[in-house]
Amino acid sequence: KLHQEAKISTKNVTTALPQDRVFTRTVNLPSLSEEELRSAIKWEAEQYIPIPLEEVILAHQIVGQVRIDNQQKTEVLIVAAPKRLINKTLKVLKTAGLNPVGLETEIIAMARSLVAPDGEIALVVDLGAKATDMAVVEGGLVVFSRSITTAGEALTRAVASSLGLDPTQAEAYKKAYGVDPQKLEGKVKRAIGPVLDVVVKEIEKTIGYFRAETKKTIKRVILSGGTSGLPEVVSLMASKLSLEIQVGNPFDQIKINESLKKQITQVQIPLYAIAVGLAMKDIG
């Protein structure tokens, strides 16, 4: 229905799998031939993936070269997606009369649209509805990622519980007042503050883990997803993390029709990060 209403001419589709349903891991391996690398990746995957390998599709991306204990290593990002999830996604698209041409994870697509290939190391944080996804991006590539289940819906439940509202009202209050202490006597801020604190602590853990593993420092956090547009969320996170915090703009790296740009509000911009990243796949 969307395809018809939007009058999209192409049937070709590239799509993303939800990050919290996919397993990712960065490993350091010796310099190997392509055949040896595939074998090593399979062995590494068996150590970290909690479901049998015959039930997943494995893919990998070489991130770069690192030096560990005076030895040159190849840094590799391993991605494993359940076959069941992939088959279901492809079936939906094909049943809709579309032609799937690409499939990747949400966070890889998002990183592509929000961080330029020559940009400094950054942590991309997707504050979604059901999960908060995080990825360290270096040289335009995801080098580490993880997901937590504390996200937008948890904030809505906190508002509903604290203020005695139904979920629809709570969602509206959350979007209207966010963590602005001046709005509604700060009641919404007090309701969702503890939940956001959980997210902040997980961001700190991710940054600390990356620094301990690589001796590299992350100075910039890029927010995306619907929750990133809540009033005063950026300033709250900046004060708690003492880092540069910004809401990512996926349209910064692409050309877009000016009349179309005017139709997209500031609140809507972060919602396009995955779609724009998918559209940029294999470009450049």
Side-chain angles (χ1 to χ4, degrees):
K1 187 177 179 183
L2 175 65
H3 187 270
Q4 290 169 351
E5 287 181 354
K7 296 181 173 60
I8 297 167
S9 57
T10 181
K11 296 278 188 180
N12 293 337
V13 175
T14 180
T15 191
L17 299 173
Q19 191 67 30
D20 59 337
R21 301 281 304 279
V22 176
F23 308 101
T24 59
R25 180 85 185 193
T26 304
V27 297
N28 297 314
L29 300 170
S31 296
L32 301 168
S33 67
E34 186 61 35
E35 188 177 334
E36 290 172 328
L37 186 61
R38 278 197 297 269
S39 177
I41 285 170
K42 188 176 178 182
W43 186 86
E44 289 283 348
E46 286 177 335
Q47 316 304 309
Y48 300 114
I49 295 169
I51 61 177
L53 284 191
E54 57 267 22
E55 294 180 17
V56 302
I57 298 290
L58 274 178
H60 71 274
Q61 176 177 282
I62 294 177
V63 175
Q65 302 295 317
V66 291
R67 198 156 190 84
I68 300 173
D69 297 330
N70 290 322
Q71 290 186 317
Q72 194 74 5
K73 301 276 188 178
T74 302
E75 197 171 13
V76 182
L77 178 70
I78 300 173
V79 181
K83 289 179 181 176
R84 193 173 172 183
L85 174 64
I86 291 174
N87 292 336
K88 180 181 177 182
T89 303
L90 295 178
K91 186 176 181 181
V92 168
L93 294 172
K94 289 175 181 176
T95 305
L98 301 172
N99 176 37
V101 295
L103 195 64
E104 63 183 357
T105 67
E106 289 178 340
I107 203 74
I108 288 175
M110 189 174 293
R112 186 184 296 118
S113 70
L114 298 182
V115 185
D118 57 353
E120 63 180 348
I121 299 175
L123 177 67
V124 174
V125 179
D126 178 27
L127 299 163
K130 296 181 183 299
T132 295
D133 302 322
M134 306 179 204
V136 179
V137 184
E138 182 177 10
L141 298 174
V142 173
V143 296
F144 175 76
S145 68
R146 63 188 290 253
S147 294
I148 61 169
T149 54
T150 305
E153 289 182 357
L155 299 178
T156 303
R157 286 194 298 271
V159 174
S161 174
S162 178
L163 302 184
L165 305 172
D166 65 45
T168 303
Q169 289 175 309
E171 180 75 11
Y173 273 53
K174 180 186 77 173
K175 288 181 176 178
Y177 305 128
V179 288
D180 189 334
Q182 307 301 320
K183 300 284 179 68
L184 206 68
E185 301 173 341
K187 290 179 181 177
V188 177
K189 180 187 177 181
R190 286 194 292 276
I192 65 180
V195 183
L196 276 177
D197 282 344
V198 172
V199 176
V200 168
K201 283 184 172 61
E202 293 300 327
I203 290 173
E204 288 175 330
K205 280 185 195 175
T206 301
I207 292 171
Y209 174 81
F210 182 74
R211 183 172 56 239
E213 288 289 306
T214 66
K215 308 297 186 287
K216 295 176 182 177
T217 302
I218 296 170
K219 298 178 181 176
R220 187 166 64 117
V221 176
I222 302 173
L223 302 181
S224 191
T227 304
S228 67
L230 298 186
E232 299 301 319
V233 159
V234 172
S235 57
L236 176 77
M237 286 195 165
S239 66
K240 288 180 177 291
L241 291 166
S242 300
L243 292 169
E244 179 190 342
I245 311 284
Q246 67 183 90
V247 176
N249 187 339
F251 299 110
D252 281 347
Q253 293 191 76
I254 63 172
K255 291 180 181 177
I256 181 171
N257 183 286
E258 284 301 318
S259 63
L260 188 61
K261 189 183 286 187
K262 290 173 184 174
Q263 296 176 42
I264 304 168
T265 66
Q266 285 298 117
V267 174
Q268 292 172 329
I269 283 174
L271 304 178
Y272 287 90
I274 294 171
V276 171
L278 289 169
M280 291 170 64
K281 186 172 166 60
D282 298 329
I283 293 176

